[in-house]
Amino acid sequence: MKAASLTLSVLIGLATMSFNTPAAELSVAKEKSVTTAPLVPERFIPSINDDRNLDFQTVYPEPDAKGIQIMKNSDMVIDTRGNLYVTGPRLINDEGFGTSALSKITPDGVISILTLPMNEQLTAIAIDSHDNIYLSVYSGSGVGDSHAGGGYSMVPKFISDLTSKSPFFIVRKLQPDGKLSIFIPKNKSDCFFNFAVDGNGVLYSDSCSSLIKISKRRGIGSKKETLVDFSVGAARMDRSARAMVIDGENNLIYAENSFIRGGNTPNQSNNAGVSYDLIKKISPAGDVTDIAGIKIEGDAGVADKAGFKKISSLAIDSRDNIYVLEPQQKTIRKITNGVISTLVNDTGEDAMSIAIHGDNLYILRESGIDVVRNLSI
């Protein structure tokens, strides 16, 4: 944000501020102090995590449970009617074979389980503006449980697992009428650990070492484009798109994480182990712009405390205000017209994902689902 003249009344109440400079591009958003107390979430749905094996025929949760089983790295989306969809539980039969499932929770807290006809591991979930739900599933050996990005991720232990004959990804589409179809067929070259789909059916995904875009073309398959190559200029840096969401104009908003590995020179080692996130926007035409965050210039270190670190989930409201979940900081911050404010300063240690419907902000935790009601937007 470029510097501008401010009146005294505007200056009062502004705290740590940093301005975007074309040369260094250290900061692309300013942080504004919150004059009112941060909002406090309330419990919406408790969790039932007893690790029991669930028979396929079991009605879950039981009538007196009033809770839901939330897996370690579950993810959550919300449709236009306010129904929440949470990945899990994974239903296991007596022979030890399992099938993936979605938990559906209505705005009134009524829970139902949608069993999916697949044996693969759910890796991510997305929803478009037409309430179509997209499910990324992974099948193969060498799978390890990890939270890479915002959601439930079954991450291969070795990159070679992605190129061997057995593993592959499939993206399935679940329509509001319950019809389940294959959106992206068996795919050995792309990863769908974290993805989003816009209202035109265009899929964006953090695909291992790049951010890709897949456009469906009727009758002639699909077209894949690489929007960001995370391997470029990354000799001692690991980069990935940790979280992403679509705004009202079909722009992709995503959090790009950079982790600096150790170097061989004294200067290179100054920032070794430093992790920072940038929030960026990609238009349908492919134009990339910075929204918020702090970049590291050379070996100068993190510019100031206004930076983001290890974002796990993004959400957006009807006015395109952006909400950012940082689990390690236990905070949810809000970006409005380039101004960052802290909305919730204690999400709990087990927060995984956020979603917004109307004036309600939902927080998915291992211990249950919390809600901030009457959110002012």
Side-chain angles (χ1 to χ4, degrees):
M1 182 176 182
K2 295 182 179 179
S5 59
L6 300 175
T7 64
L8 180 61
S9 61
V10 174
L11 287 172
I12 297 175
L14 287 179
T16 55
M17 298 175 61
S18 53
F19 296 92
N20 187 30
T21 58
E25 291 187 292
L26 287 179
S27 176
V28 287
K30 61 185 179 180
E31 185 167 5
K32 179 179 179 181
S33 62
V34 179
T35 55
T36 58
L39 301 176
V40 179
E42 63 184 68
R43 180 48 46 95
F44 176 57
I45 293 289
S47 67
I48 302 175
N49 290 329
D50 56 9
D51 296 325
R52 60 182 168 178
N53 286 341
L54 303 174
D55 187 89
F56 288 142
Q57 305 302 318
T58 301
V59 178
Y60 185 84
E62 297 168 354
D64 59 346
K66 298 181 181 179
I68 184 174
Q69 188 179 49
I70 298 175
M71 298 184 295
K72 182 179 179 180
N73 290 320
S74 292
D75 199 6
M76 173 179 66
V77 295
I78 191 167
D79 66 18
T80 58
R81 293 163 292 180
N83 297 305
L84 289 168
Y85 296 85
V86 179
T87 55
R90 183 163 174 80
L91 305 180
I92 309 297
N93 66 9
D94 294 336
E95 287 75 35
F97 296 99
T99 186
S100 297
L102 283 179
S103 298
K104 177 183 177 181
I105 308 170
T106 70
D108 296 327
V110 178
I111 303 170
S112 58
I113 301 297
L114 307 177
T115 302
L116 305 174
M118 61 185 82
N119 291 327
E120 304 97 338
Q121 303 288 340
L122 270 171
T123 62
I125 182 172
I127 192 168
D128 65 22
S129 57
H130 305 296
D131 289 345
N132 297 300
I133 296 175
Y134 301 83
L135 305 162
S136 171
V137 291
Y138 173 82
S139 176
S141 59
V143 178
D145 190 9
S146 173
H147 191 172
Y152 178 63
S153 300
M154 296 297 292
V155 181
K157 293 179 180 179
F158 306 101
I159 295 298
S160 60
D161 290 333
L162 297 174
T163 57
S164 63
K165 294 183 178 180
S166 58
F168 57 84
F169 281 87
I170 290 176
V171 178
R172 300 183 186 270
K173 178 180 177 181
L174 180 62
Q175 297 177 184
D177 60 5
K179 180 181 178 182
L180 187 68
S181 59
I182 294 179
F183 187 71
I184 302 291
K186 181 190 298 187
N187 195 308
K188 296 181 181 180
S189 60
D190 297 318
C191 315
F192 300 104
F193 293 134
N194 182 42
F195 70 119
V197 183
D198 70 17
N200 297 320
V202 177
L203 181 146
Y204 299 85
S205 177
D206 177 7
S207 183
C208 296
S209 62
S210 62
L211 178 59
I212 63 172
K213 172 183 177 181
I214 299 179
S215 304
K216 302 286 288 186
R217 298 186 295 180
R218 182 173 298 179
I220 54 175
S222 60
K223 176 184 177 182
K224 186 179 79 171
E225 305 171 62
T226 298
L227 299 177
V228 182
D229 187 348
F230 293 134
S231 65
V232 173
R236 59 188 187 90
M237 182 178 292
D238 294 321
R239 298 163 64 203
S240 62
R242 300 181 65 92
M244 57 187 69
V245 69
I246 304 293
D247 70 10
E249 297 181 350
N250 277 334
N251 297 302
L252 175 74
I253 310 297
Y254 75 98
E256 180 178 298
N257 173 256
S258 296
F259 178 79
I260 300 178
R261 302 189 297 271
N264 296 322
T265 68
N267 286 336
Q268 285 181 325
S269 63
N270 287 342
N271 286 325
V274 172
S275 174
Y276 64 94
D277 289 359
L278 303 174
I279 299 176
K280 299 186 175 186
K281 178 173 72 174
I282 300 182
S283 71
D287 299 322
V288 182
T289 56
D290 290 340
I291 295 178
I294 302 297
K295 289 184 179 180
I296 290 181
E297 182 185 29
D299 291 314
V302 178
D304 60 38
K305 65 180 181 181
F308 295 95
K309 292 190 68 175
K310 297 186 177 179
I311 295 169
S312 72
S313 183
L314 297 172
I316 197 161
D317 64 28
S318 59
R319 298 184 183 180
D320 285 345
N321 297 310
I322 302 170
Y323 299 80
V324 183
L325 172 62
E326 297 172 278
Q328 290 191 353
Q329 284 70 40
K330 305 179 187 178
T331 60
I332 297 175
R333 291 198 277 175
K334 178 181 178 181
I335 305 173
T336 303
N337 297 324
V339 177
I340 304 172
S341 59
T342 299
L343 187 73
V344 177
N345 64 6
D346 187 7
T347 61
E349 298 180 353
D350 57 350
M352 295 178 284
S353 182
I354 55 176
I356 283 185
H357 179 259
D359 287 345
N360 293 335
L361 168 69
Y362 295 90
I363 306 168
L364 178 67
R365 302 172 56 188
E366 285 187 61
S367 57
I369 300 175
D370 293 348
V371 60
V372 177
R373 300 187 186 277
N374 302 318
L375 187 69
S376 176
I377 61 173

